[in-house]
């Protein structure tokens, strides 16, 4: 028992003594290490000398009882401390044993892992040997003459027994693809059935792709034939065109362009004022325009426009005249575009506080009139030569589509449209 445990036992014993034997005088307990008999003698001497109260004989058993209880409690505490130390020592030993057991387990697992790796390597080696034996056996099954090499016919027969059918050219092609040394035969190291199967599959895929492409071409060709046949049937259902290009037809085609010229007079006033030689033709056009303008509400021009469109749809009229009638109507409708643009520009400038100047208005009107005059001049000259004026962008295309309701008299067409 150590000093600290003894001190602790003494403190607890003193506490037990106070609890059992009653409360002694502080002077008698503080620092006293004498026996009960010496303490009794000192108390008697003090009592006789001082005349104080004397200790009677019944106090001695009580003090001895408290001391006995104190000693018993100290002994029990010492036994508990010893038991605790033994338990701690036993736990430490068990921990060390557990640690040793873990080390043994890790070592055992490592040994097992090494053993498994060795078994796997052995199995792989055995598998490789078995593959080599199987390959040699397969090679010998292909090598019918036991010459140690496989020819193209032997390759073909062997693959045919395996379900891969090849013709003679394909077998020769396959052998050349596998023949690394170029001797025309396959040795064992050149014989790879998987490579041969892969090549055959690739060739089959190429053949299927070629067949699909061929079928697509055939379908496209059939569609073209069907479209051409449908077109021929449609043309056959159309009436024959009137390819007359006589003088009357040519003059009528020229007069058809009076409609856009009359409608463009308002744009040509600045040019007529600037060039006096234009006043004569302008005056004639003004008189002719006055005839149609005399009809109220512009119905005269409307009737002329509708009449020209109706004549252009008549398939019995010459194609040259029908085309020029339709193109003249298109030019007249095109004059609406500069009218809208001029109105938009004037509105924008007026809103900005800058009205359109007379010079700008005259220049714009002159440009529009010159363009219309150029189109009419081109169409007039071409029509006088008996050729349809199809050179006007977009306008001529629309005119041609509008009268495409007849078929030509010959296979190549009239050549005029």
């Amino acid at each position: 028992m150590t000093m600290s445990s003894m001190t602790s036992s003494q403190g607890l014993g003193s506490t037990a003594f106070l609890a059992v034997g009653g409360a002694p005088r502080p002077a008698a307990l503080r620092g006293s290490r004498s026996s009960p008999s010496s303490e009794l003698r000192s108390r008697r001497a003090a009592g006789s000398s001082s005349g104080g109260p004397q200790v009677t004989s019944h106090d001695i058993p009580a003090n001895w009882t408290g001391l006995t209880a104190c000693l018993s409690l100290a002994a029990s505490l010492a036994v508990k401390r010893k038991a605790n130390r033994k338990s701690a020592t036993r736990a430490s030993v068990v921990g060390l044993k557990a640690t040793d057991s873990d080390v043994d387990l890790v070592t055992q697992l490592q040994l097992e892992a090494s053993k498994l790796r060795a078994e796997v390597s052995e199995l792989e080696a055995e598998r490789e040997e078995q593959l080599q034996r199987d390959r040699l056996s397969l090679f010998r099954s292909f090598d019918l003459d036991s010459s140690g090499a496989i020819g193209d016919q032997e390759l073909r027969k062997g693959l045919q027994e395996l379900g891969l059918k090849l013709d003679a050219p394909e077998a020769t092609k396959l052998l050349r693809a596998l023949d690394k040394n170029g001797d025309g035969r396959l040795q064992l190291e050149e014989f790879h059935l998987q490579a041969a199967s892969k090549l055959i599959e690739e060739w089959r895929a190429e053949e299927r792709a070629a067949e699909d492409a061929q079928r697509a071409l055939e379908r496209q060709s059939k569609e073209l034939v069907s479209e051409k046949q449908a077109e021929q049937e449609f043309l056959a259902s159309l009436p024959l065109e009137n390819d007359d290009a006589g003088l009357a037809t040519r003059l009528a085609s020229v007069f058809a362009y009076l409609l856009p010229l009359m409608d463009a007079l308002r744009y040509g006033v600045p040019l007529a004022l600037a060039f006096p030689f234009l006043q004569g033709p302008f005056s004639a056009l003004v008189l002719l325009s006055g005839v149609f303008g005399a009809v109220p509400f512009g119905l005269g021009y409307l009737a002329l426009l509708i009449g020209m469109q109706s004549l252009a749809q008549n398939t019995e009229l010459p194609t040259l005249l029908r085309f020029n009638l339709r193109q003249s109507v298109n030019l007249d409708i095109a004059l609406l575009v500069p009218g809208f643009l001029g109105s938009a520009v004037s509105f924008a400038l007026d809103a900005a506080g800058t009205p359109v100047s007379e010079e700008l208005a005259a220049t714009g009107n002159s440009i529009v009139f010159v363009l219309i005059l150029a189109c009419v001049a081109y169409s007039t000259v071409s029509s006088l030569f008996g050729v349809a004026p199809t050179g006007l962008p977009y306008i001529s295309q629309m005119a041609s589509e509008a009268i495409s309701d007849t078929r030509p008299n010959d296979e190549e067409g009239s050549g005029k449209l």
Side-chain angles (χ1 to χ4, degrees), residues 64 73 91 94 127 153 192 216 227 329 357 371 375:
W64 277 107
L73 180 59
V94 172
R127 180 176 177 274
Q153 295 302 324
H192 297 282
E227 290 178 359
V329 172
S357 62
L371 290 176
C375 293

Side-chain angles (χ1 to χ4, degrees), residues 350-366:
D350 291 340
T354 305
V356 180
S357 62
E358 295 182 359
E359 292 79 4
L360 180 61
T363 302
N365 291 334
S366 299

Side-chain angles (χ1 to χ4, degrees), residues 77-375:
L77 290 175
V79 171
K80 288 182 179 181
R81 285 181 174 274
K82 186 176 182 180
N84 291 335
R85 285 198 299 271
K86 289 182 178 181
S87 299
T89 302
R90 189 180 300 108
S92 300
V93 173
V94 172
L96 290 175
K97 289 183 178 180
T99 304
D100 294 339
S101 177
D102 292 339
V103 172
D104 295 340
L105 180 60
V106 171
T107 303
Q108 184 179 1
L109 290 176
Q110 290 177 350
L111 293 176
E112 293 292 338
S114 300
K115 184 178 179 181
L116 288 175
R117 285 194 294 268
E119 292 177 355
V120 169
S121 300
E122 184 178 356
L123 289 175
E124 290 179 352
E126 292 179 357
R127 180 176 177 274
E128 184 64 25
E129 292 177 359
Q130 184 62 37
L131 290 176
Q132 292 297 330
R133 289 193 295 269
D134 294 342
R135 182 182 176 189
L136 180 59
S137 177
L138 183 62
F139 178 82
R140 289 175 177 174
S141 67
F142 274 71
D143 187 13
L144 300 179
D145 57 0
S146 301
S147 60
I150 299 175
D152 52 356
Q153 295 302 324
E154 293 175 329
L155 179 63
R156 179 185 177 188
K157 291 180 180 179
L159 291 176
Q160 187 173 0
E161 292 180 358
L162 295 177
L164 298 175
K165 296 182 179 181
L166 297 177
D167 53 16
E170 289 178 339
T172 303
K173 181 180 178 182
L174 179 61
L175 186 141
R176 291 176 180 176
L178 298 176
D179 186 13
K180 302 301 182 181
N181 55 13
D183 61 351
R185 299 174 66 83
L186 294 180
Q187 283 72 32
L188 177 60
E189 61 273 8
E190 296 173 335
F191 179 72
H192 297 282
L193 186 59
Q194 292 181 352
S197 302
K198 184 177 180 182
L199 287 174
I200 294 173
E201 183 62 27
E202 291 178 356
W203 294 343
R204 294 290 184 265
E206 292 176 357
E207 291 176 358
R208 289 193 295 269
E211 292 176 357
D212 294 340
Q214 182 64 29
R215 285 194 292 268
L217 289 176
E218 292 177 357
R219 287 195 301 269
Q220 185 177 4
S221 178
K222 291 180 180 179
E223 291 176 357
L224 291 176
V225 171
S226 300
E227 290 178 359
K228 187 175 181 179
Q229 184 177 359
E231 183 180 358
Q232 291 177 353
E233 293 176 355
F234 173 74
L235 290 176
S237 64
L238 297 177
L240 289 174
E241 68 176 4
N242 186 350
D243 56 356
D244 178 44
L247 181 60
T249 301
R250 299 179 186 182
L251 292 177
S253 299
V254 171
F255 282 115
Y257 290 97
L258 291 176
L259 175 63
L261 282 178
M262 290 187 298
D263 207 6
L265 285 177
R266 63 183 183 274
Y267 296 105
V269 174
L271 289 177
L273 295 177
F275 301 98
F277 67 90
L278 295 177
Q279 294 179 3
F282 262 79
S283 299
L285 290 174
V286 169
L287 291 176
L288 184 61
S289 177
V291 174
F292 294 99
V295 182
F297 308 107
L299 296 179
Y301 277 102
L302 181 61
L304 179 61
L305 186 65
I306 295 175
M308 292 178 65
Q309 288 181 340
S310 299
L311 291 175
Q313 295 176 357
N314 189 355
T315 58
E316 297 180 358
L317 293 177
T319 303
L320 179 63
L321 177 60
R322 294 178 61 206
F323 176 83
N324 283 286
L325 288 171
R326 187 64 191 180
Q327 184 157 275
S328 175
V329 172
N330 291 341
L331 281 174
D332 188 66
I333 295 175
L335 285 172
L336 297 175
V337 176
F340 285 128
L341 291 177
S343 301
V345 172
S346 299
F347 178 79
L349 293 177
D350 291 340
T354 305
V356 180
S357 62
E358 295 182 359
E359 292 79 4
L360 180 61
T363 302
N365 291 334
S366 299
I367 292 174
V368 173
F369 183 78
V370 169
L371 290 176
I372 295 297
L373 186 61
C375 293

